[in-house]
């Protein structure tokens, strides 16, 4: 088991000596190591059991520090950073040689983000290196949104969990590239498309077909999946089809009398998409542990954070 607590000095000391620390962010917990130390970064891939072609996000506490690790910051990136940092936004920018290639898995672009969590921001302020951090889950599984989730799966492989409570957003950051005068969405996440459009009207989606190597490997279809099979559809239609099986339910707002209450997770009784995002990953993890055969889930309204929630539900069912 990993020691856990809110001791920033302890986290700092471990990171400075090349060890890994799980850190809270507003989106999900990250598995952090010194981004300038190739051996620390290599151990991130190892602990996560993550393929080394899948690059990591570099975290710092300010746009000024980000500028040390990229070749330049285009005006549109600056505008987005001003609007959303610290926050659930990751920008793909031309990588500076100052950062070891292992962080970006050899790509000439680096993913950079300033996360919004008081403990981690304060830690980043005190470090003289940035943190490479993927979500703190074994490769392919659901991202952790509290310290228990990290402890359960990676506890025996890391030195310390900086415990910052439950993640306030609960879904990973939105990943954006900037191409010509357009924002290109590589991963839907904690900043909604509507919020992006308020800053810049031209928002496009990165298209790639499943055969090619995905531009953001987080887009691999098998990602974010629980162990149990997840079926997406209209719950009223699905329930009779699975009447002979033990089912778990993920519903947006409603309780279903056909299923025992402990096997149901309601994402938001009031229909609040932000609350639904906060609860989604915990709900999937909890149901994954119950003695059930299958998880039935319904999609949520497809706007605001609803798009990112639906994206994760679809991936969980792939
Ligand atoms: O909210 C988040 O983004 C969390 C917290 C910890 O910051 N991090 C996170 O990291 O979700 P990870 O590694 O689980 O997902 C990052 C995604 C991966 O799909 C990775 O392939 C993609 O970002 N990515 C990272 N660097 C990239 C690059 N240079 N080019 C394209 N995609 C990149
Ligand atoms: Mg991840």
């Amino acid at each position: 088991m990993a020691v856990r607590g809110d001791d920033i000095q302890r986290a700092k000391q471990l990171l400075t000596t090349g060890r890994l620390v799980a850190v809270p962010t507003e989106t999900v917990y990250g598995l952090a190591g010194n981004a300038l130390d190739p051996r620390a970064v290599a151990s991130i891939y190892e602990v996560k059991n993550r393929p080394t072609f899948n690059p990591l996000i570099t975290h710092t506490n300010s746009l000024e520090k980000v500028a040390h690790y990229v070749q330049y910051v285009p005006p549109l990136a600056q505008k987005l950073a001003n609007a959303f940092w610290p926050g659930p936004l990751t920008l793909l920018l031309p990588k500076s040689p100052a950062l070891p290639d292992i962080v970006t898995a050899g790509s000439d672009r680096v993913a950079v983000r300033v996360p919004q969590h008081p403990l981690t921001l304060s830690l980043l302020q005190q470090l003289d290196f940035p943190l490479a951090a993927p979500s703190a889950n074994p490769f392919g599984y659901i991202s952790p949104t509290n310290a228990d989730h990290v402890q359960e799966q990676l506890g025996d492989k890391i030195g310390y969990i900086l415990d910052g409570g439950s993640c306030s957003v609960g879904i990973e950051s939105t990943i954006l590239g900037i191409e010509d005068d357009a924002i290109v969405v590589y991963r839907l996440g904690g900043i909604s498309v509507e919020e992006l459009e308020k800053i810049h009207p031209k928002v496009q989606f990165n298209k790639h077909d499943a055969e090619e190597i995905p531009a953001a490997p987080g887009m691999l279809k098998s990602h974010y999946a629980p162990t149990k099979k997840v079926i997406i559809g209209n719950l009223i239609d699905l329930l009779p089809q699975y009447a002979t099986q033990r089912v778990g339910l993920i519903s947006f707002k409603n309780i279903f009398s056909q299923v025992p209450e402990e096997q149901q997770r309601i994402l938001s009784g009031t229909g609040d998409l932000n609350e639904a995002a906060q609860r989604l990953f915990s709900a999937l993890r909890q149901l994954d542990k119950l003695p059930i055969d299958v998880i039935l889930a319904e999609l949520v309204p497809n706007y605001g954070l609803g798009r990112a929630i639906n994206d994760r539900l679809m991936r969980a069912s792939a």
Side-chain angles (χ1 to χ4, degrees):
M1 289 285 103
V3 180
R4 56 195 267 189
D6 58 4
D7 185 349
I8 293 173
Q9 290 320 310
R10 181 169 191 150
K12 179 179 171 183
Q13 193 262 328
L14 288 164
L15 290 163
T16 304
T17 54
R19 305 278 307 279
L20 305 185
V21 172
V23 298
T25 82
E26 78 284 30
T27 59
V28 301
Y29 274 68
L31 175 62
N34 177 353
L36 303 184
D37 175 354
R39 286 176 58 182
V41 178
S43 67
I44 295 176
Y45 287 96
E46 223 174 271
V47 164
K48 254 190 86 93
N49 198 15
R50 173 168 172 136
T52 49
F53 63 74
N54 197 345
L56 309 178
I57 299 176
T58 296
H59 300 71
T60 63
N61 62 296
S62 69
L63 180 57
E64 291 66 43
K65 280 196 192 167
V66 162
H68 299 159
Y69 305 105
V70 302
Q71 306 247 356
Y72 56 90
V73 181
L76 182 50
Q78 187 132 9
K79 211 168 155 188
L80 290 163
N82 289 337
F84 299 117
W85 279 351
L89 178 78
T90 295
L91 294 172
L92 296 173
L93 296 175
K95 173 185 173 297
S96 135
L99 213 56
D101 288 334
I102 186 172
V103 175
T104 61
S107 168
D108 56 5
R109 283 201 294 187
V110 57
V112 285
R113 166 161 127 81
V114 177
Q116 171 74 286
H117 189 289
L119 280 182
T120 298
L121 269 180
S122 164
L123 170 66
L124 287 165
Q125 256 153 29
Q126 297 178 44
L127 295 174
D128 53 10
F129 50 83
L131 292 177
S135 52
N137 51 279
F139 180 68
Y141 199 70
I142 307 156
S143 296
T145 52
N146 64 42
D148 288 340
H149 296 165
V150 180
Q151 186 71 284
E152 278 164 24
Q153 289 191 306
L154 298 181
D156 52 357
K157 295 183 177 163
I158 56 181
Y160 191 58
I161 301 173
L162 191 59
D163 188 347
S166 289
C167 300
S168 59
V169 174
I171 208 155
E172 300 86 349
S173 61
T174 299
I175 302 181
L176 302 178
I178 286 156
E179 281 150 43
D180 301 323
D181 66 335
I183 293 174
V184 181
V185 179
Y186 281 78
R187 177 176 73 182
L188 291 162
I191 298 288
S192 68
V193 173
E194 291 86 346
E195 287 173 281
L196 295 173
E197 282 169 345
K198 281 189 203 148
I199 303 297
H200 187 73
K202 206 163 163 191
V203 178
Q204 302 171 352
F205 293 87
N206 178 52
K207 287 196 197 73
H208 55 75
D209 98 289
E211 304 309 314
E212 57 186 0
I213 293 180
M219 307 312 276
L220 288 170
K221 283 227 173 91
S222 65
H223 254 68
Y224 310 104
T227 315
K228 299 234 159 71
K229 195 174 166 68
V230 177
I231 308 282
I232 308 267
N234 182 326
L235 294 177
I236 308 245
D237 299 335
L238 285 176
L239 278 167
Q241 294 172 38
Y242 289 86
T244 60
Q245 299 192 34
R246 295 169 304 174
V247 302
L249 284 192
I250 299 227
S251 123
F252 181 40
K253 289 196 287 196
N254 302 314
I255 296 198
F256 289 78
S257 57
Q258 302 92 314
V259 174
E261 265 189 46
E262 61 273 17
Q263 287 162 226
Q264 303 190 44
R265 292 296 178 279
I266 291 150
L267 295 181
S268 173
T270 59
D272 175 346
L273 289 167
N274 297 321
E275 183 176 50
Q278 252 169 33
R279 292 184 179 170
L280 175 68
F281 290 160
S282 269
L284 281 167
R285 277 177 182 261
Q286 288 163 5
L287 292 182
D288 208 20
K289 283 191 207 159
L290 294 181
I292 55 174
D293 304 308
V294 62
I295 298 170
L296 307 181
E298 65 181 354
L299 296 180
V300 303
N302 207 39
Y303 54 81
L305 288 196
R307 285 205 215 205
I309 294 171
N310 290 339
D311 172 83
R312 301 306 189 272
L313 282 170
M314 301 294 278
R315 284 175 206 289
S317 78

